[in-house]
Amino acid sequence: MCTLPAENSTMELQQLDLDTAPGRAERAKWLLSSPNPPSLWHELTSSIRETVLPKERKKQPRTKGHVLFLQGLFPILKWGRSYNGAKFKKDLMAGLTLASLCIPQSIGYANLAKLDPQYGLYTSVVPPLIYALMGSSREIAIGPVAVVSLLLSAMIGKVVDPSVDPVAYTSLVFTVTFFTGAFQALFGIFRLGFLVDFLSHAAIVGFMGGAAIVIGLQQLKGLLGISNFTTKTDVVSVMEAVLKALHHPWYPLNFVLGCSFLIFILITRFIGTRNKKLFWLPAMAPLFSVILSTLIVYLTKADKHGIKIVKHFKGGINPSSVHQLKFGGPHVGEAAKFGSICALIALTEAIAVGRSFASIKGYQLDGNKEMVAMGFMNIVGSLTSCYAATGSFSRTAVNFSAGCETVVSNIVMAITVLVSLLLFTRLLYYTPLAILASIILSALPGLIDLNKAYSIWKVDKLDFIVCLSAFFGVLFGSVEIGLLIAVGISFAKIIVVSIKPSTQVLGRLPGTDTFCDILQYPVAAQIPGILIVSISSGTLCFANATFIRERILRRVFDENETKENTKGGVRVLVLDMSNVMNIDTSGIRSLEELHKKLISRGTELAMATPRWPVINKLKTAKFVDKIGAGWVNSKQVFAMTQYSAFADDLETIVYFLDFHEIRESPRKMKYPITDLLVTLQPTQSESQNALRARFFLEENIRP
């Protein structure tokens, strides 16, 4: 212990301690006097404005409000002003290349959805045009995709058999498409994009892999020329149908023709992958296969020898389907359910594709605006004989490789498909179904990502279980079962983590002001007499409040029983609330019970860095008044830092503070001990810090 002459005390205190205790108390009130957080209604209206208006709207005059609104809703009005001939040349070539791939794929996907082939082409006309007006992605290619086509046929086929009542089946498809668009638009307007995240990355990888195999098995009907085939999608049912069909007369020419062109398409894809300049080769291969195979069948009259052909193919502009929407029928509830599922799957695929290519080009994609655009294009599509459309990864990759600059490539593609509908549909009468099956099969390897599955296994075993559950659920159950299992396990994982969050004891890294988990960093030193606990949960609510309280009390009791704390145990418990974003009444009640138990054992409760909504609710519930405003201070952890910095001089500080006396009568303090700790400077000498401690006691301990 060191003493200083009395006459020098006042001068040195003025030099060392410019901040008085009342000043520190005033600063402590800054956190407690913060304004109330925005109301729920304010957040809702703000989210809608942010969805449809650009971010720079506040810098613009009010007279341009309607212009900004239209530009936010239709981005083409903004970037279209700088569009030029050079960009159009690139978009024209990309659009024509895209159409060459889109036409055969659309016909094949319509067949997968158990619709007439023209509906696939209709879906490649109207939705791309609507998206070009409202979408913000420059590279994404809109149209029918394999997974959504499978979803529609698998779910709707259980309600209405397309072979028995094709008209009712088609009407229900349009109704489901309308609900798909409505849900997507609502997700975007109310900023509910987080719902898409319920399908985790692992679940999507497993689901896509399982769906790819199911889609491939479904193509055995066209590849083998089977007339009667099961409507079920699970592996067992499909293989049984194939084995039964093989016992009846079938035509191997379908298999030979389909496999020949499948090998041709795969070879062109391999060449295009090895030589980037030949990107157009795999894009043109499907259309070339359709044209060549159609000519072969027409010239050789192969349809008379067992080759299955398309036959029925209506052309012309998209007819209206408003009268086919059924909102009052017996299946409207199921249509809404199917629409919500399709909305989530379609959005997940489209946003993932759009963001992947946007990151390559170096611009930001607004997910909520994408949802609004996707929603309106499907709503309009349902009124014009289109079924659910979304962004296709394979066609987007072709569009990107072809050098597209804007969504004008989608407009070029849609116009090309429309011209084909008007002029060339009769020529596709002799197109063999085996070719359509081979085109779909050639697109499936991109849906099976073994590298991602292996990465998931290496990183997180529980995520890998989710991946496998989705995969086997789709494979051996159905598309809905696979999704439900994956989402169910993901939810269970979230619930377990939320109900039983972890708590960490923090210690200070030597030579720094950084506090971290003492288990992760064994070199981190705890502060004698002070226990700092961090709550690793975004919310303190009814589901986890009791668990967290008991975990914290157990840690306090464990600390009191250790040999290092035999001199007085835990005198101050500091809760690091920086991770807690929200709290409910159950959480506040749990904190009150924690405070009572700590006070009964002579331990003070302090709270560090509480978030805005949390501190507002704690003030409203009078919890801050119960523990004392000085103990709810964003400076608490900093105070602990200063205190732990001179842990070697602990005996000197304990002598002046007399923690034992204060612990027995803590209410003798005008200000909490941590106010003293804020004033202590680790850079100062032991005698200077001792002088600060003595001055603090003389000024602030009541008689």
Side-chain angles (χ1 to χ4, degrees):
M1 184 179 68
C2 180
T3 59
L4 293 175
E7 57 270 14
N8 296 331
S9 297
T10 304
M11 183 181 298
E12 187 160 10
L13 283 173
Q14 291 175 350
Q15 295 174 352
L16 294 176
D17 195 4
L18 299 176
D19 295 330
T20 63
R24 293 190 298 273
E26 184 66 25
R27 290 195 303 273
K29 294 180 181 179
W30 294 349
L31 176 68
L32 302 177
S33 60
S34 59
N36 293 331
S39 64
L40 180 62
W41 173 252
H42 181 270
E43 291 182 351
L44 180 61
T45 54
S46 298
S47 68
I48 296 176
R49 285 198 302 269
E50 290 174 4
T51 301
V52 298
L53 293 178
K55 293 182 179 179
E56 62 270 17
R57 62 186 183 277
K58 294 182 179 179
K59 300 179 181 179
Q60 302 292 338
R62 292 184 178 181
T63 55
K64 295 185 178 181
H66 62 287
V67 177
L68 295 176
F69 176 81
L70 291 176
Q71 288 181 348
L73 195 59
F74 303 103
I76 192 173
L77 298 177
K78 186 176 182 179
W79 59 261
R81 292 179 297 179
S82 60
Y83 196 72
N84 53 43
K87 290 182 179 180
F88 177 72
K89 182 180 179 180
K90 294 182 179 179
D91 286 335
L92 178 63
M93 295 302 298
L96 294 175
T97 305
L98 196 57
S100 67
L101 175 63
C102 173
I103 291 173
Q105 278 192 352
S106 298
I107 297 173
Y109 292 151
N111 185 51
L112 179 61
K114 294 183 173 60
L115 293 168
D116 292 336
Q118 66 269 16
Y119 291 113
L121 295 179
Y122 291 159
T123 307
S124 297
V125 175
V126 174
L129 292 176
I130 300 300
Y131 182 84
L133 298 176
M134 303 184 67
S136 55
S137 174
R138 304 169 192 168
E139 297 81 23
I140 195 169
I142 299 298
V145 297
V147 174
V148 175
S149 301
L150 173 67
L151 269 175
L152 290 172
S153 62
M155 294 187 298
I156 301 176
K158 295 179 180 179
V159 179
V160 179
D161 192 339
S163 60
V164 176
D165 193 350
V167 175
Y169 177 84
T170 304
S171 297
L172 191 56
V173 168
F174 294 151
T175 306
V176 170
T177 301
F178 180 88
F179 280 113
T180 298
F183 279 115
Q184 289 174 333
L186 289 175
F187 291 163
I189 292 174
F190 294 103
R191 306 183 72 83
L192 300 177
F194 65 90
L195 294 176
V196 178
D197 297 330
F198 285 150
L199 292 174
S200 64
H201 174 68
I204 291 297
V205 171
F207 173 79
M208 290 295 186
I213 295 177
V214 168
I215 292 170
L217 292 174
Q218 290 287 320
Q219 301 317 301
L220 292 176
K221 176 184 178 181
L223 202 61
L224 299 176
I226 300 173
S227 300
N228 298 318
F229 203 69
T230 180
T231 58
K232 298 181 179 179
T233 59
D234 62 282
V235 173
V236 177
S237 299
V238 172
M239 295 309 298
E240 286 180 352
V242 172
L243 293 175
K244 289 180 181 178
L246 293 178
H247 288 85
H248 297 83
W250 63 289
Y251 304 95
L253 284 178
N254 291 280
F255 183 76
V256 173
L257 185 66
C259 287
S260 299
F261 280 97
L262 175 60
I263 293 172
F264 166 72
I265 294 172
L266 293 177
I267 290 175
T268 59
R269 181 168 298 174
F270 176 77
I271 295 173
T273 304
R274 297 295 296 270
N275 190 344
K276 299 298 183 182
K277 293 182 179 180
L278 298 177
F279 67 88
W280 54 268
L281 187 59
M284 298 291 292
L287 183 60
F288 177 79
S289 300
V290 169
I291 295 173
L292 183 59
S293 63
T294 302
L295 286 174
I296 292 174
V297 172
Y298 175 74
L299 295 175
T300 62
K301 306 297 182 182
D303 58 311
K304 306 295 183 181
H305 299 85
I307 296 292
K308 303 290 183 180
I309 59 176
V310 172
K311 292 185 180 179
H312 305 291
F313 205 127
K314 295 181 181 180
I317 301 175
N318 295 40
S320 173
S321 56
V322 176
H323 62 284
Q324 293 182 268
L325 298 179
K326 304 297 182 183
F327 298 118
H331 306 306
V332 64
E334 292 170 315
K337 181 182 71 174
F338 298 158
S340 64
I341 296 175
C342 287
L344 289 174
I345 296 297
L347 283 176
T348 301
E349 184 172 358
I351 292 177
V353 171
R355 285 177 175 170
S356 298
F357 288 92
S359 63
I360 297 175
K361 283 292 189 73
Y363 68 92
Q364 190 73 20
L365 198 65
D366 190 329
N368 290 299
K369 289 186 179 180
E370 285 295 288
M371 293 178 190
V372 173
M374 294 280 176
F376 277 99
M377 81 177 186
N378 278 316
I379 290 175
V380 176
S382 68
L383 306 177
T384 54
S385 301
C386 305
Y387 72 94
T390 187
S392 166
F393 184 84
S394 60
R395 294 196 293 273
T396 302
V398 170
N399 195 29
F400 176 80
S401 300
C404 73
E405 290 289 335
T406 65
V407 287
V408 172
S409 61
N410 274 273
I411 298 176
V412 174
M413 178 199 70
I415 294 174
T416 306
V417 174
L418 181 60
V419 172
S420 300
L421 277 167
L422 293 172
L423 303 177
F424 304 121
T425 51
R426 291 184 180 181
L427 302 178
L428 298 175
Y429 180 89
Y430 291 98
T431 301
L433 295 177
I435 295 302
L436 301 180
S438 65
I439 291 173
I440 294 176
L441 287 171
S442 67
L444 296 183
L447 297 178
I448 304 175
D449 199 331
L450 296 178
N451 290 329
K452 284 185 179 178
Y454 179 72
S455 176
I456 292 171
W457 160 258
K458 295 290 290 184
V459 174
D460 192 330
K461 300 299 187 291
L462 186 57
D463 260 1
F464 186 71
I465 293 176
V466 174
C467 180
L468 285 183
S469 300
F471 178 78
F472 287 115
V474 173
L475 210 56
F476 293 101
S478 65
V479 174
E480 306 98 295
I481 292 176
L483 284 175
L484 287 175
I485 292 176
V487 174
I489 295 178
S490 300
F491 263 109
K493 179 181 177 182
I494 294 173
I495 291 172
V496 170
V497 173
S498 300
I499 291 178
K500 294 187 176 182
S502 61
T503 57
Q504 295 87 33
V505 175
L506 304 184
R508 177 178 171 275
L509 288 178
T512 70
D513 291 337
T514 303
F515 281 80
C516 53
D517 186 0
I518 61 174
L519 296 180
Q520 183 179 1
Y521 299 92
V523 297
Q526 286 185 253
I527 305 168
I530 298 175
L531 179 64
I532 306 176
V533 177
S534 176
I535 301 174
S536 298
S537 176
T539 180
L540 186 58
C541 62
F542 67 94
N544 58 20
T546 302
F547 177 81
I548 292 175
R549 182 193 66 207
E550 296 302 322
R551 287 288 296 268
I552 293 174
L553 286 173
R554 191 180 305 123
R555 289 191 179 278
V556 173
F557 297 154
D558 291 343
E559 288 291 322
N560 285 331
E561 292 176 358
T562 56
K563 295 180 180 179
E564 291 80 5
N565 291 286
T566 54
K567 293 184 179 181
V570 177
R571 303 177 183 90
V572 180
L573 170 66
V574 180
L575 292 183
D576 179 11
M577 302 286 286
S578 57
N579 295 326
V580 182
M581 300 294 130
N582 206 345
I583 189 171
D584 65 2
T585 54
S586 298
I588 297 174
R589 176 63 179 171
S590 182
L591 289 178
E592 291 174 347
E593 294 175 358
L594 174 65
H595 179 243
K596 289 179 182 179
K597 291 186 178 181
L598 291 175
I599 289 297
S600 66
R601 290 169 172 80
T603 302
E604 287 288 350
L605 175 64
M607 301 180 68
T609 59
R611 298 289 181 168
W612 191 11
V614 175
I615 191 62
N616 181 69
K617 291 184 179 181
L618 292 178
K619 290 190 300 182
T620 305
K622 307 298 182 181
F623 179 73
V624 174
D625 297 335
K626 293 179 181 178
I627 67 173
W631 293 101
V632 184
N633 190 345
S634 59
K635 283 283 188 178
Q636 298 292 344
V637 173
F638 174 74
M640 299 302 113
T641 304
Q642 302 301 326
Y643 178 61
S644 61
F646 53 87
D648 293 338
D649 300 329
L650 180 61
E651 291 298 326
T652 302
I653 302 303
V654 168
Y655 175 83
F656 282 102
L657 285 178
D658 192 3
F659 272 121
H660 179 71
E661 177 184 347
I662 296 175
R663 184 166 61 87
E664 291 179 350
S665 303
R667 297 308 174 189
K668 288 184 177 181
M669 300 290 294
K670 292 181 182 178
Y671 306 102
I673 297 171
T674 46
D675 274 3
L676 166 64
L677 304 180
V678 174
T679 69
L680 299 176
Q681 304 294 327
T683 57
Q684 302 297 330
S685 65
E686 173 186 344
S687 60
Q688 292 169 330
N689 279 322
L691 178 61
R692 289 174 177 274
R694 188 179 67 182
F695 177 76
F696 179 87
L697 290 177
E698 291 175 351
E699 293 294 323
N700 297 321
I701 293 184
R702 295 169 180 165

